[in-house]
C-alpha cells in the first residue's frame, strides 16, 4: 500500500483561477500527500495531469478523510 496515498472529499467548488478544474462538490477523490504538499487529480490514475498544491489551498476546498470514514461510507 502506498503510504502517501490519501482520500479526500470536495467541500467547495474550486475557483477557476486556482487551476483545479474537474472537481465536484460532495465527490470523493484519491491523491497523494508528502512534504506538506498535496498531489491531486479529479481522475487519479488516468492520463489526466495531476496538480501539486499547498496544504492551505487543499484545505480551502477539500477535506482529508481517514480510513475509518471510508469504511463507513462504502458499507
Amino acid at each position: 500500500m502506498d503510504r502517501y496515498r490519501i482520500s479526500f472529499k470536495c467541500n467547495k467548488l474550486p475557483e477557476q483561477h486556482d487551476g483545479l478544474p474537474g472537481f465536484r462538490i460532495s465527490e470523493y477523490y484519491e491523491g497523494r500527500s508528502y512534504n506538506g504538499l498535496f498531489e491531486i487529480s479529479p481522475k487519479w490514475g488516468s492520463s489526466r495531469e495531476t496538480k501539486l498544491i499547498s496544504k492551505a489551498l487543499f484545505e480551502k476546498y477539500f477535506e482529508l478523510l481517514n480510513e475509518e470514514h471510508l469504511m463507513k461510507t462504502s458499507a
Side-chain angles (χ1 to χ4, degrees):
M1 179 174 220
D2 185 353
R3 68 180 179 161
Y4 301 109
R5 182 178 157 186
I6 59 168
S7 296
F8 59 96
K9 179 181 175 184
C10 181
N11 289 329
K12 180 180 174 188
L13 193 62
E15 296 174 21
Q16 188 175 6
H17 69 273
D18 285 327
L20 299 171
F23 291 97
R24 297 177 9 198
I25 295 174
S26 297
E27 294 287 324
Y28 295 90
Y29 300 97
E30 292 183 348
R32 292 172 44 133
S33 175
Y34 46 91
N35 295 333
L37 298 172
F38 292 81
E39 183 179 11
I40 61 172
S41 173
K43 294 198 181 212
W44 190 257
S46 71
S47 60
R48 284 190 80 165
E49 181 180 334
T50 62
K51 293 286 268 184
L52 196 59
I53 62 172
S54 68
K55 182 177 182 178
L57 186 58
F58 180 87
E59 290 177 344
K60 182 177 178 181
Y61 302 114
F62 307 107
E63 171 188 356
L64 192 59
L65 304 174
N66 59 27
E67 294 292 327
E68 290 177 19
H69 184 276
L70 293 175
M71 296 294 237
K72 290 177 186 174
T73 57
S74 66

